[in-house]
Amino acid sequence: MNTRIFLVLLTVFVLSAAAEDTLPKTADTFDVDGHKAFLYAAPASAPGRPWVWYAPTLKGVSLAGRKMYFEAFMKAGISLAGYDLGEVRGAPGSTAKFSLFYEEMVRRGYSPKPILLGQSRGGMMTLAWAFRNPDKVRAWVGIYPVCNLASWPLKNSKPQTLTDYGLSEEELNGRLKEFNPVDNLQGLLANKVPMFSVHGDSDVVVPLELNTSLLQERYKAGGGQIEVKVIPGEGHKVGPSFFECRELVDFVLKHADH
């Protein structure tokens, strides 16, 4: 190999390795109202200090373990954070507690308009907060997200859902339109919040048609901007289709730069 080419490649490798070393290896943790928050601060924050708020955060931000996403966000100056409230399902009370975390992040100097990213049941957590705080959301992203309270929460997670809302099943069903994110999109539409979701068409846990597709149909009907990537033949699983999705990264980078 030509000596000059070798030296150039070696320099690129060394610089890349040095850049990797600057990425946070562990989260900074802090307490908010008796619950733990986790923050991976970008080494060099982009203007406005953008951040991705990830859910569910259960003893840590699992998205930090998804190499493609984590490195793309960190290198673009986008921090990653989450707040562990346990197995909540979007009730007004737990949503209000999420607001305490949001206020603490803003107090620390981060953008007052985070990008919300909900994976699976985290979709319900983030959408429930978003529709109650539509002026505080830069964009919303879902990875096979629960969007519809009448779907997975009341079919496969009933005890946790009823506990979070503090209602009987009959009472919750009677007030479903009051609490269900897909029935409360007006504020997000008025604030022109863009959305993106990646979802498999063979998902039997969080069915596409009852969640992402329903959200897409209603958001588009209201004039909203929503992009959906459907993965043929794939279900509710961890894999590159969902955790190495270039379109998801591009969406986050585009909307963080506002």
Side-chain angles (χ1 to χ4, degrees):
M1 180 185 291
N2 181 286
T3 302
R4 184 179 177 185
I5 294 175
F6 173 78
L7 290 173
V8 169
L9 290 175
L10 180 62
T11 301
V12 169
F13 174 79
V14 170
L15 289 175
S16 297
E20 292 285 333
D21 286 343
T22 66
L23 301 183
K25 301 295 190 294
T26 58
D28 293 327
T29 60
F30 52 95
D31 184 89
V32 178
D33 194 41
H35 297 275
K36 189 168 285 189
F38 299 82
L39 169 63
Y40 291 87
S45 189
R49 301 192 75 189
W51 56 293
V52 168
W53 177 353
Y54 173 78
T57 291
L58 303 170
K59 299 181 181 179
V61 179
S62 64
L63 196 75
R66 312 302 179 192
K67 182 179 173 67
M68 178 185 175
Y69 293 167
F70 185 70
E71 291 186 359
F73 298 164
M74 290 293 113
K75 291 175 181 179
I78 304 167
S79 297
L80 174 65
Y83 185 49
D84 186 359
L85 281 185
E87 292 290 355
V88 295
R89 298 290 182 265
S94 55
T95 300
K97 291 181 180 179
F98 275 128
S99 290
L100 299 177
F101 164 66
Y102 164 83
E103 289 162 5
E104 176 59 21
M105 287 293 291
V106 173
R107 190 191 70 78
R108 288 169 177 251
Y110 288 91
S111 171
K113 283 195 170 188
I115 294 173
L116 277 55
L117 196 164
Q119 177 188 335
S120 191
R121 61 199 185 279
M124 179 57 56
M125 298 176 191
T126 51
L127 278 174
W129 190 85
F131 88 73
R132 294 184 176 102
N133 299 275
D135 59 326
K136 298 179 177 68
V137 181
R138 176 75 66 201
W140 179 85
V141 179
I143 299 173
Y144 40 70
V146 177
C147 309
N148 179 6
L149 192 53
S151 178
W152 179 84
L154 281 173
K155 290 181 178 179
N156 304 101
S157 182
K158 193 181 296 183
Q160 295 91 335
T161 302
L162 297 179
T163 296
D164 189 28
Y165 283 84
L167 298 171
S168 68
E169 183 177 1
E170 183 180 11
E171 289 169 330
L172 183 53
N173 277 314
R175 298 174 64 185
L176 202 58
K177 284 188 178 295
E178 177 186 344
F179 301 124
N180 204 349
V182 291
D183 292 314
N184 292 278
L185 299 172
Q186 298 86 350
L188 292 166
L189 287 165
N191 282 273
K192 296 181 167 49
V193 174
M195 296 188 175
F196 174 91
S197 182
V198 57
H199 211 131
D201 68 0
S202 300
D203 195 328
V204 296
V205 179
V206 180
L208 170 68
E209 63 276 9
L210 295 177
N211 291 278
T212 288
S213 290
L214 180 60
L215 176 66
Q216 180 185 30
E217 175 189 332
R218 294 188 177 182
Y219 210 61
K220 275 192 169 182
Q225 177 191 336
I226 180 168
E227 302 172 37
V228 172
K229 182 174 183 180
V230 176
I231 309 298
E234 293 201 21
H236 209 80
K237 68 175 191 177
V238 173
S241 296
F242 302 108
F243 295 100
E244 296 177 17
C245 178
R246 186 69 243 177
E247 293 89 341
L248 186 153
V249 171
D250 290 344
F251 180 88
V252 170
L253 298 188
K254 173 184 175 182
H255 292 289
D257 189 27
H258 278 193

